[in-house]
Amino acid sequence: MGRAHEVRAKAMAATAAARSALFMRASKEIYMAAKSGVPDPDSNLALRSAIEKWKSQHVTKDVIERAIQKAKGGSAESYEEGRYEFFGPGGSLLIIDTLTDNTNRALVNVRTTVTKKGGHMGSVIFNFTETGVLVFNGNNRDEVEETLILSDVDVREVTEEDGVIEVLVEPSAFAQARDVLSGMGITEFETAEITFLANDPIEITDPEDKRKFDELIDMLDELEDVQNVYHNVK
């Protein structure tokens, strides 16, 4: 389909540990979004966006509700955001976001994990473009694009393949695009998030480098402080 299809988050975690980490990431982000304003998605855009993002990754309703209730209960727990950039195996480039109660632990664990697979820190973010991505079932690509444009949504691209539509928009237009799509009756998304897309995705052809990269992604998925991983590998 499009580039977003190549880097969008996994629908289901490959291991129990990764699934547990997925739920933890969702819980922390939803909790922080709920604390940032009114803990009601109808009145809190950040919370609504977080819920939609994690629902599209099959995070359960119970996990979402517990995180909101925790914020409503006045918990003093807090997390800090971090962003780290790396060169990885096989020419891969990675942006790794953390959300943690211990920034030193987060950095050490992320850096150690990448280094074990032959990577090192470096500036790579200029190789990516921040983009709002919405993916959903549909076969009315032209209607979707026309409606978004007529609604003054800053659209980058709308594609359709095998009954799945992918909409790419400017990050600032993400909430507006989702609201317009909801007005068209589109409320279930396979992906609904603001992410980083690689400007020039690559394929890792060397089997050893490919093994190292795949193992690295799995290891990062299981780190408790890692919130998002963006890369340039198809």
Side-chain angles (χ1 to χ4, degrees), residues 84-96 111 113-124 128 202 204 208-210 212-214 216-217 220 230-233:
Y84 308 103
E85 303 170 45
F86 291 91
F87 292 90
S92 60
L93 308 173
L94 302 103
I95 301 171
I96 302 170
R111 185 169 56 195
T113 299
V114 178
T115 301
K116 282 181 178 178
K117 295 302 177 181
H120 60 89
M121 295 189 78
S123 179
V124 304
F128 296 80
I202 67 167
I204 299 179
E208 180 64 13
D209 284 340
K210 184 65 167 62
K212 289 181 180 179
F213 176 79
D214 290 342
L216 172 58
I217 295 301
L220 290 170
Y230 311 104
H231 59 76
N232 67 331
V233 180

Side-chain angles (χ1 to χ4, degrees), residues 3-161:
R3 290 177 300 168
H5 217 60
E6 298 166 355
V7 298
R8 68 188 187 204
K10 298 175 183 177
M12 296 294 289
T15 67
R19 186 165 175 77
S20 175
L22 175 73
F23 284 0
M24 176 61 74
R25 290 195 291 273
S27 179
K28 287 193 293 186
E29 187 168 328
I30 292 168
Y31 165 73
M32 290 300 290
K35 279 190 65 176
S36 71
V38 179
D40 179 353
D42 291 332
S43 306
N44 184 333
L45 180 58
L47 177 57
R48 181 153 58 101
S49 296
I51 290 172
E52 290 293 338
K53 170 185 173 180
W54 293 108
K55 279 175 64 179
S56 72
Q57 296 186 43
H58 299 268
V59 171
T60 64
K61 184 178 180 180
D62 286 347
V63 171
I64 294 170
E65 287 299 322
R66 282 200 301 270
I68 295 174
Q69 290 303 318
K70 181 179 177 181
K72 286 182 177 179
S75 172
E77 193 171 4
S78 186
Y79 303 99
E80 292 185 50
E81 296 177 344
R83 173 166 290 163
Y84 308 103
E85 303 170 45
F86 291 91
F87 292 90
S92 60
L93 308 173
L94 302 103
I95 301 171
I96 302 170
D97 287 346
T98 59
L99 190 60
T100 178
D101 58 359
N102 187 324
T103 54
N104 289 334
R105 180 190 66 210
L107 173 57
V108 169
N109 287 345
V110 168
R111 185 169 56 195
T112 299
T113 299
V114 178
T115 301
K116 282 181 178 178
K117 295 302 177 181
H120 60 89
M121 295 189 78
S123 179
V124 304
I125 200 166
F126 60 89
N127 292 286
F128 296 80
T129 301
E130 191 173 21
T131 306
V133 180
L134 298 122
V135 180
F136 50 92
N137 293 327
N139 51 19
N140 57 336
R141 177 213 168 281
D142 292 344
E143 179 188 1
V144 167
E145 183 175 49
E146 182 179 1
T147 302
L148 289 168
I149 291 173
L150 290 175
S151 300
D152 292 326
V153 175
D154 198 347
V155 178
R156 288 183 181 169
E157 184 179 18
V158 180
T159 58
E160 179 185 339
E161 185 176 310

